[in-house]
Amino acid sequence: MPPSVATAGRKAGGGGARNKAATAAVAGGEQGAAVTRSSRRQQQQQQQLDVDDDETNAGFGKYLRSQEGIEMMKLFVIANTLVVFMTMAWPQMQQSYQMLRSIFYGEADGEDTTYP
């Protein structure tokens, strides 16, 4: 390549590598600013969600999500199961007890040994 063509190309390009580096730095700065703005928005949205979550979890809901609340709920489920079982099974248990008692102790026929 003749020297006059190389010189004209450099002058027209405005510095070649330096111009490209400057353009890349500006573009990178704009991308960095966009990332910073989007991360700020995400942080603000997360803070808003945390505030909403704290309002939702206030009071009894917060207690139920705690370790103590979970343990008490387990205890409640077990106790409730026993109460329902005893309520539903009590008449049959009472009738079985009366039948066994009459078999072993031979109670008189005058007593009512049936359960209505």
Side-chain angles (χ1 to χ4, degrees), residues 4 11-13 17 20 22 26 31 35 39 43-44 51 56 59 64 68 77 86 98 107 111:
S4 61
K11 289 180 182 176
K20 289 179 184 176
V26 170
Q31 289 176 352
V35 169
S39 66
Q43 287 175 351
Q44 290 172 349
V51 169
T56 302
L64 283 179
E68 183 181 352
V77 168
M86 291 300 293
Q98 289 176 353
E107 292 183 8
E111 291 184 30

Side-chain angles (χ1 to χ4, degrees), residues 5-96:
V5 174
T7 308
R10 256 186 291 175
K11 289 180 182 176
R18 279 186 288 152
N19 191 18
K20 289 179 184 176
T23 304
V26 170
E30 290 172 0
Q31 289 176 352
V35 169
T36 304
R37 278 181 258 144
S38 67
S39 66
R40 284 184 191 152
R41 276 191 225 121
Q42 289 175 349
Q43 287 175 351
Q44 290 172 349
Q45 289 172 350
Q46 183 63 35
Q47 288 173 350
Q48 183 64 30
L49 290 174
D50 289 343
V51 169
D52 292 342
D53 194 36
D54 288 342
E55 290 174 1
T56 302
N57 290 334
F60 189 66
K62 186 175 183 178
Y63 168 74
L64 283 179
R65 287 177 178 86
S66 70
Q67 189 63 33
E68 183 181 352
I70 291 171
E71 293 298 322
M72 291 303 271
M73 185 57 74
K74 289 177 184 178
L75 181 65
F76 170 77
V77 168
I78 291 169
N80 194 31
T81 301
L82 290 173
V83 167
V84 169
F85 175 75
M86 291 300 293
T87 302
M88 298 300 292
W90 183 253
Q92 286 78 18
M93 290 170 48
Q94 186 177 14
Q95 187 176 17
S96 299

